């Protein structure tokens, strides 16, 4: 049969009127100007996503699905990872513009690297079977790494939503009192200087790297060293360490 070109789809969705779907679309198109855009707007508490369901039936192995963020793919980490695993196994490429660290390419590359080590077919059935078992185990291991990262990304996305709600509430309160909005400059110079020492402490103390402490305890250590860090920034640094 004729060779069918792989397609690139971009999925954008908003759940409230305040969110801007066109911003997501712009982000997707700047990643791939030819992406076929699928828009989903649902309001209220209805979680049915007819456009997304249709898209999942349409995508074929080799196709690519671009999301602005992991939180656009699913509403929670468990369901998100289940879907991620299904699509990864089907051979669909997943791209997350805000969390490139969990793009399927990241894991496929790791798998390819590992595969090269075993690319010795001996012609001996038993050995080949063993090699295949090892490769299957590797694929599972790589997916479990993906799972951990996806949970981190979801945690972070959820946190940003909560923070935004909190800030909006506080902002409205402040504005009501002062008759105006008050904002703080983003990315102040201080952050840059503290970044490396904070990352060193995370590497040293976090149980996800070389240490034994959980996130809350690590943040405690960082603060006790006189380097204050918000939970938001902490999780961002943590994600950056993984990609370094």
């Amino acid at each position: 049969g004729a060779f069918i070109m792989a397609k690139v789809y971009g999925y954008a969705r908003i759940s409230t009127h305040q969110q801007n779907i066109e911003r997501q679309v712009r982000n997707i198109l700047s990643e791939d100007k030819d992406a076929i855009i699928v828009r989903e707007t649902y309001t209220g508490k209805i979680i049915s996503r007819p456009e997304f369901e249709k898209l999942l039936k349409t995508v074929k192995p080799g196709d690519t699905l671009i999301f602005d963020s992991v939180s656009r793919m699913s509403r929670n980490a468990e369901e998100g990872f289940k879907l991620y695993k299904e699509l990864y196994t089907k051979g669909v490429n997943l791209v997350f513009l805000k969390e490139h660290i969990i793009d399927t390419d990241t894991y496929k590359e790791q798998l390819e690297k590992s595969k090269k080590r075993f690319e010795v077919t001996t012609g001996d059935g038993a050995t080949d079977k063993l090699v295949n078992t090892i490769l299957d185990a590797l694929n599972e291991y790589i997916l479990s790494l993906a799972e951990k990262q996806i949970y981190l990304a979801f945690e972070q996305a959820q946190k940003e939503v909560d923070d935004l709600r909190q800030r909006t509430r506080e902002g409205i309160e402040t504005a009501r009192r002062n008759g105006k909005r008050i904002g703080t400059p983003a990315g102040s110079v201080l952050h840059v200087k503290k970044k490396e020492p904070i990352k060193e402490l995370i590497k040293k103390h976090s149980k996800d790297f070389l240490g034994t402490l959980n996130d809350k305890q690590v943040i405690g250590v960082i603060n006790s060293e006189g380097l204050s860090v918000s939970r938001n920034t902490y999780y961002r640094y943590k994600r950056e360490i993984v990609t370094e």
Side-chain angles (χ1 to χ4, degrees):
F3 175 72
I4 299 164
M5 283 292 287
K7 292 197 169 97
V8 177
Y9 298 93
Y11 177 72
R13 86 173 165 81
I14 53 170
S15 44
T16 69
H17 290 304
Q18 282 85 22
Q19 291 172 318
N20 181 352
I21 201 162
E22 293 313 317
R23 189 186 52 77
Q24 290 178 41
V25 172
R26 275 200 304 276
N27 292 348
I28 291 165
L29 290 174
S30 66
E31 176 81 6
D32 188 316
K33 64 180 186 349
D34 302 318
I36 301 157
I37 301 292
V38 175
R39 287 178 175 80
E40 185 107 62
T41 48
Y42 64 82
T43 46
K45 291 280 169 264
I46 310 152
I47 307 184
S48 72
R49 299 195 277 168
E51 294 305 322
F52 192 52
E53 296 305 322
K54 244 187 285 182
L55 181 55
L56 290 179
K57 290 192 179 80
T58 313
V59 286
K60 298 183 172 49
D63 285 351
T64 299
L65 252 180
I66 304 174
F67 298 90
D68 187 47
S69 146
V70 65
S71 59
R72 302 297 94 195
M73 178 175 77
S74 164
R75 300 201 79 167
N76 66 57
E78 223 138 297
E79 179 188 295
F81 179 66
K82 194 169 157 267
L83 185 59
Y84 185 104
K85 197 170 176 177
E86 277 166 28
L87 289 164
Y88 171 94
T89 312
K90 185 177 175 177
V92 175
N93 300 312
L94 300 173
V95 177
F96 302 93
L97 302 180
K98 290 206 173 72
E99 302 96 357
H100 275 305
I101 182 175
I102 56 174
D103 290 356
T104 45
D105 275 357
T106 310
Y107 300 102
K108 284 187 184 135
E109 269 167 37
Q110 291 180 17
L111 191 63
E112 285 310 312
K113 273 186 202 148
S114 314
K115 260 187 186 159
K116 285 202 170 60
R117 284 180 221 154
F118 296 108
E119 255 163 18
V120 217
T121 32
T122 53
D124 166 22
T127 312
D128 288 351
K129 203 169 166 185
L130 175 67
V131 167
N132 285 333
T133 309
I134 292 170
L135 284 177
D136 284 346
L138 265 168
N139 210 355
E140 276 308 305
Y141 167 67
I142 282 168
L143 272 172
S144 74
L145 278 181
E147 184 172 18
K148 196 170 169 186
Q149 293 299 344
I150 285 168
Y151 271 82
L152 259 176
F154 264 104
E155 240 172 54
Q156 179 64 16
Q158 187 50 51
K159 205 190 154 307
E160 276 164 17
V161 170
D162 295 344
D163 279 2
L164 189 64
R165 284 199 188 121
Q166 179 64 23
R167 278 204 304 275
T168 306
R169 268 201 304 271
E170 287 168 2
I172 288 166
E173 182 54 32
T174 307
R176 200 175 58 76
R177 278 204 304 260
N178 306 357
K180 64 173 191 286
R181 275 288 166 94
I182 296 171
T184 54
S188 58
V189 183
L190 266 176
H191 276 305
V192 185
K193 281 197 183 127
K194 300 189 311 193
K195 190 172 187 170
E196 290 316 315
I198 290 174
K199 278 192 183 175
E200 289 312 312
L201 288 172
I202 296 174
K203 277 186 227 170
K204 189 171 156 193
H205 296 291
S206 164
K207 64 176 168 31
D208 293 320
F209 302 102
L210 305 167
T212 54
L213 304 180
N214 66 28
D215 293 333
K216 206 172 167 184
Q217 292 166 326
V218 179
I219 291 172
V221 171
I222 293 167
N223 291 336
S224 71
E225 298 273 301
L227 295 158
S228 65
V229 65
S230 71
R231 280 186 50 190
N232 234 348
T233 308
Y234 171 81
Y235 283 115
R236 194 176 77 237
Y237 287 174
K238 220 172 139 176
R239 286 209 307 275
E240 285 176 11
I241 293 169
V242 179
T243 48
E244 275 165 11

